[in-house]
Amino acid sequence: MKKKLLILAAFLLSLAFGIGIAYKFPNGYFKILADTGAVSWKFDVVSCVIMTLISFVLLWLLIDIFFDKKGYKRDIVAFKKYRFFMVDLVSRDIKTKYRRSVLGVFWSVLNPLLMMLVLTAIFSRVLRIDVTNYGYWGGYPLFYLSGYVIFNFISEATNFSLVSILQASGLIKKVYMPKYIFPLEKCCYAFVNMSLSFIAFIIMFCVYLFKGDIPISTDLFKMFLVVVPMFFVFIFALGLSLFLSSAAVFFRDVLHLWSVFLSLWMYASPIIYPLDNLSPALKNVLRINPLTHYIDYFRCVLIKGELPTLEQNVMCVLFSLAALGIGLIAFRKKQDKFILYI
Amino acid sequence: MEADIAVKVEDVKMCYNMPTERVDSIKEYIVKLLRGKLHYREFVALDGVSITIKRGETVGIVGLNGSGKSTLLKIISGILKPDRGNVEINGVISPLIELGAGFDFELTTRENIFLNGSVLGFDRNFMRARYDDILDFAELRPYEDVAIKNFSSGMVARLGFAIATLVKPDILIVDEILAVGDALFQQKCEKRIAELMSGGTTVIIVSHAIEQIERLCTKVLWIDKGKQIMLGDTATVCEKYKMLGQKRGELN
C-alpha cells in the first residue's frame, strides 16, 4: 500500500518536473530545435511528456529497489555464481552461429562490408547523398557502417532475447537459476557480434586514413570515447530485452510484431541518411527516437572528431536508464509466473 | 535459522491458475476480458505442507501420482515460488528433478559435464578436478566424445546422477531417477547416497519403490492431493502407506 502511494507521488513529482522542463526551455528540451528555428508548441508538449515518463520510470525504479533491497541483492549475488554458465552460453551461441560455414567468424566482419558496398552503391551513386558536406569524414561508407553497427546490435540483441526465455524453458522448468541470465546472455552475445563488426569499421577507417580523406590530428584520439556510447547502447538494449523477453512469454504476438517494428525503427533512425538532410519538422520527430541520440553520439566521436555535448550525454544516459528501469520492473514483476506459461 | 537445519518449509500453498482455454495472444485476451470470459480454474497442488529437515537427514516423500510430490521438490529447489508460506534453504542444492535437466542433447558427454557443472554454478577448474570420477562412476568412458542424443535413457540418468552426486552438494534431491538404471547401477547409486549421507549431505528422495525408501530414509513425508497426511519415522509411515495401497488395490 505504502509502495503504491509512493509511486503515485513519484508520478505527480515527475509530471511537475516535465511541465517545468517545458516551461523552462520554451524552445523544446532537445537543443537541436533552437538552431532550426522551427519551434512549435506541439514539440514542447512532446518533450514534456517524454521527460515526465523518463523521470517517472527512474523514480519508480528507485522505489522498487528501496522496497526490494533483498531481492536485488540476491540477484546480484546469484550473478557471481552463474557467470560461468553465462560465458558458456555465449561461447556456445558463437560456435553454433558459424557451424558448417567455411569462412566462419570472418562473416561477422565480411557481412557489414558487403552491406556497405550495396548501400553505398545505391545511396551515394544513384541517390547522390553526399555526407561529407555535413562534416563526416570518409564519405558514405564510414557513415553507413557507423550507423549499421549500432542498429544491428539493437536488432540482434532484441531479436535473440525475445525468444530467450521461451527457448530456455527446458532449463527453467527443471533447474533453479536467475532468469535474467538469459536475456542478459543474448545481449552479451550481440555485443560480441557488434565488436566483431566494428572491426569492419576500423578496416575502412584505416583505408580512408591512408587515402588522406581523414585529417591526421589529435581529433583522432577522440575515437577512444566510442566505448561510452557502446556502453549506453548496451544498457538500453538490455532494458529493452528484459521487457520484450518477459512480454513474449505471455503474448506470443510480440514475436511477430517486433520484426515489423524493427524495420520501421530502422527507417525512422538516421542510419542510411544523414539527420541534417531532413526538414526541421522531421528532424524534431526523429529526436524523439532514442536511437538517433546513440547514433549521433557514435558518429560524433568517430567520424567527426568532435567532443559530445552535454545534451547528447544527458539524453543517452536518460534513455538508457529509463529503458533499464522499464525492463527491470516488468521482468521482476512477472518472472515468477514465467514457468506457468512456457 | 539454526545451523543444523538444511531445509525448512513452512505451511506452503501452491495454486495453479488453469485458464479453461489457453489464452496466448493479446487479441484473445482483450476479447475474452471484455466478454468477461476470462475464467480460471484454480487447481491446488499443495496446501499447508510443512517440513523441517536437519542436516544429514535422508527424507523420503511418498504419495500417489499427482499428489504434489514433484511440486514440493520444485518449491524446495527454488524453481517454483509458492503462493503462500516460507521456504528457507541452507546450503548448495544439486537438484535431480528430472532426467536430463540441464543437458544439451546435441553436445558430447565431455561438453555436457562442463555445461551441467556451470548450470549448477561450478566453474571449469572445479569440474575438471572431478571429471574423471564422473566418467568412471557413470561408466561412460568409451563414449566421452559421443553426442548425448545417441544415448539410452539409462545412460543419461547415469551421467546426471554422477554429476549431481560427485560435486558434493549440501542437499541432494532425487526424483524417481533411480528407477531408470538397471539393478546393478541402482545398487551403486544407493551406495553412493549412503556415502553422501555419512558425509553430512541432506538427501530428499521421491520414489514409488517403497522398499527403497525403507532402506534409505530416516524420515518420511506422505502427501495426498496436496495435503500433508503424515510425517514421521520411516517404519510407521511406510506401514500405513502400504496398508492404504493394499486397501485401494482390493477395492479395484
Side-chain angles (χ1 to χ4, degrees):
Chain A
M1 203 55 220
K2 209 173 160 194
K3 189 180 171 185
K4 273 183 186 157
L5 274 176
L6 268 174
I7 289 172
L8 188 72
F11 179 69
L12 293 175
L13 195 71
S14 42
L15 194 66
F17 179 66
I19 293 170
I21 287 277
Y23 183 73
K24 176 87 179 145
F25 299 93
N27 289 338
Y29 181 70
F30 305 106
K31 181 202 90 188
I32 214 78
L33 292 176
D35 41 49
T36 59
V39 181
S40 75
W41 61 272
K42 284 182 209 147
F43 201 73
D44 278 352
V45 173
V46 172
S47 73
C48 158
V49 169
I50 292 175
M51 291 313 291
T52 307
L53 282 179
I54 290 179
S55 42
F56 174 54
V57 168
L58 294 183
L59 284 173
W60 189 348
L61 182 65
L62 279 181
I63 292 168
D64 201 47
I65 291 176
F66 176 76
F67 269 85
D68 193 13
K69 256 184 260 168
K70 253 191 197 160
Y72 279 92
K73 211 171 156 188
R74 199 174 45 220
D75 279 356
I76 293 167
V77 171
F79 179 74
K80 225 173 141 191
K81 185 175 170 191
Y82 289 99
R83 63 185 190 278
F84 314 111
F85 176 56
M86 226 183 71
V87 174
D88 266 14
L89 281 182
V90 173
S91 68
R92 197 173 69 179
D93 275 350
I94 294 171
K95 266 183 219 154
T96 46
K97 186 179 176 190
Y98 297 110
R99 200 165 43 190
R100 299 213 183 103
S101 75
V102 182
L103 290 177
V105 79
F106 285 106
W107 275 116
S108 278
V109 182
L110 211 56
N111 213 13
L113 289 177
L114 293 175
M115 285 292 283
M116 177 203 78
L117 282 182
V118 175
L119 280 138
T120 308
I122 298 170
F123 280 89
S124 115
R125 301 281 169 219
V126 183
L127 293 173
R128 302 224 164 262
I129 294 179
D130 192 2
V131 293
T132 45
N133 289 344
Y134 306 112
Y136 296 113
W137 297 334
Y140 197 80
L142 283 192
F143 176 84
Y144 171 71
L145 271 182
S146 49
Y148 169 89
V149 167
I150 292 278
F151 183 78
N152 208 40
F153 168 65
I154 298 246
S155 117
E156 279 193 345
T158 49
N159 266 330
F160 294 148
S161 316
L162 207 51
V163 286
S164 61
I165 298 284
L166 297 174
Q167 270 176 354
S169 63
L171 268 184
I172 290 177
K173 276 182 188 167
K174 289 177 181 174
V175 189
Y176 167 77
M177 56 177 52
K179 283 146 203 87
Y180 67 86
I181 288 280
F182 299 103
L184 179 64
E185 178 264 321
K186 292 295 179 197
C187 287
C188 290
Y189 167 51
F191 196 81
V192 172
N193 276 344
M194 169 163 83
S195 312
L196 287 174
S197 42
F198 194 65
I199 294 174
F201 177 85
I202 291 174
I203 291 173
M204 287 313 288
F205 195 84
C206 292
V207 168
Y208 280 97
L209 204 63
F210 283 120
K211 255 178 76 186
D213 284 358
I214 298 172
I216 296 179
S217 67
T218 48
D219 279 350
L220 287 182
F221 286 114
K222 287 170 192 162
M223 208 178 155
F224 292 108
L225 279 175
V226 75
V227 290
V228 179
M230 273 186 171
F231 176 71
F232 289 155
V233 95
F234 180 79
I235 299 290
F236 179 77
L238 180 61
L240 209 57
S241 300
L242 285 173
F243 177 79
L244 285 171
S245 59
S246 54
V249 171
F250 301 100
F251 300 109
R252 308 286 146 94
D253 314 50
V254 185
L255 302 177
H256 309 285
L257 267 175
W258 187 247
S259 58
V260 180
F261 180 79
L262 266 181
S263 72
L264 171 73
W265 204 7
M266 191 189 126
Y267 288 106
S269 316
I271 295 161
I272 48 178
Y273 52 83
L275 192 63
D276 319 68
N277 221 0
L278 302 173
S279 70
L282 262 181
K283 220 190 259 187
N284 292 346
V285 174
L286 249 66
R287 284 275 139 184
I288 297 165
N289 178 359
L291 212 47
T292 310
H293 297 268
Y294 295 116
I295 293 174
D296 206 34
Y297 195 129
F298 203 62
R299 281 183 180 146
C300 175
V301 293
L302 275 183
I303 52 174
K304 266 185 168 174
E306 283 175 3
L307 279 178
T309 62
L310 181 65
E311 187 226 359
Q312 272 172 319
N313 276 307
V314 168
M315 287 321 287
C316 286
V317 170
L318 281 184
F319 275 124
S320 299
L321 285 179
L324 188 67
I326 293 175
L328 274 181
I329 292 167
F331 198 84
R332 292 179 57 86
K333 257 190 132 85
K334 290 291 175 197
Q335 61 178 355
D336 294 331
K337 295 268 171 268
F338 286 170
I339 189 168
L340 306 174
Y341 288 84
I342 51 181
Chain B
M1 192 156 59
E2 298 138 74
D4 64 331
I5 288 172
V7 179
K8 194 172 186 181
V9 177
E10 279 174 324
D11 193 25
V12 157
K13 182 179 183 182
M14 184 75 211
C15 292
Y16 293 115
N17 268 342
M18 291 197 304
T20 33
E21 290 164 69
R22 211 185 154 95
V23 181
D24 260 346
S25 77
I26 297 171
K27 195 197 100 195
E28 265 178 65
Y29 184 81
I30 292 171
V31 168
K32 292 245 163 77
L33 196 69
L34 289 179
R35 286 189 184 160
K37 275 193 179 170
L38 205 64
H39 294 306
Y40 290 108
R41 192 152 46 96
E42 209 171 61
F43 173 76
V44 183
L46 274 185
D47 192 5
V49 175
S50 311
I51 183 170
T52 309
I53 303 172
K54 288 208 185 85
R55 219 172 263 283
E57 262 186 323
T58 302
V59 176
I61 301 175
V62 293
L64 302 174
N65 279 335
S67 56
K69 302 185 297 289
S70 289
T71 306
L72 182 61
L73 289 190
K74 280 185 177 176
I75 286 175
I76 289 175
S77 55
I79 298 170
L80 281 173
K81 210 174 172 186
D83 294 321
R84 197 190 66 206
N86 229 342
V87 181
E88 281 180 78
I89 304 293
N90 220 347
V92 178
I93 298 190
S94 162
L96 266 181
I97 286 294
E98 266 168 71
L99 264 182
F103 284 139
D104 185 332
F105 282 75
E106 294 291 322
L107 296 179
T108 64
T109 314
R110 182 203 310 272
E111 288 166 316
N112 263 307
I113 289 178
F114 288 109
L115 178 73
N116 212 304
S118 67
V119 165
L120 302 175
F122 299 112
D123 68 1
R124 289 200 156 250
N125 287 332
F126 185 91
M127 290 309 286
R128 208 167 284 137
R130 284 156 185 78
Y131 180 76
D132 285 319
D133 289 345
I134 291 173
L135 266 191
D136 287 336
F137 188 86
E139 297 161 28
L140 291 172
R141 172 93 43 204
Y143 310 102
E144 217 176 343
D145 292 307
V146 179
I148 293 206
K149 61 180 172 189
N150 303 319
F151 280 12
S152 71
S153 52
M155 285 158 100
V156 178
R158 255 147 56 191
L159 186 59
F161 187 86
I163 295 173
T165 51
L166 279 160
V167 295
K168 290 228 166 51
D170 298 326
I171 301 161
L172 179 72
I173 295 180
V174 187
D175 185 5
E176 285 297 344
I177 194 156
L178 297 178
V180 183
D182 52 37
L184 224 72
F185 190 72
Q186 279 192 28
Q187 275 176 17
K188 212 167 152 188
C189 288
E190 281 181 26
K191 217 178 115 199
R192 179 80 201 137
I193 289 179
E195 266 172 50
L196 281 176
M197 279 157 54
S198 59
T201 299
T202 311
V203 184
I204 303 173
I205 301 176
V206 162
S207 180
H208 287 295
I210 195 85
E211 304 78 33
Q212 209 169 38
I213 298 231
E214 280 177 323
R215 257 203 316 278
L216 289 167
C217 301
T218 49
K219 200 170 168 184
V220 176
L221 170 71
W222 175 13
I223 45 182
D224 190 43
K225 289 181 184 135
K227 294 261 195 305
Q228 184 167 339
I229 305 284
M230 235 178 150
L231 172 66
D233 64 292
T234 312
T236 346
V237 179
C238 282
E239 200 179 322
K240 283 268 168 60
Y241 182 69
K242 272 195 277 195
M243 263 165 59
L244 184 96
Q246 273 169 4
K247 229 184 251 170
R248 289 208 179 156
E250 279 160 18
L251 278 178
N252 290 337

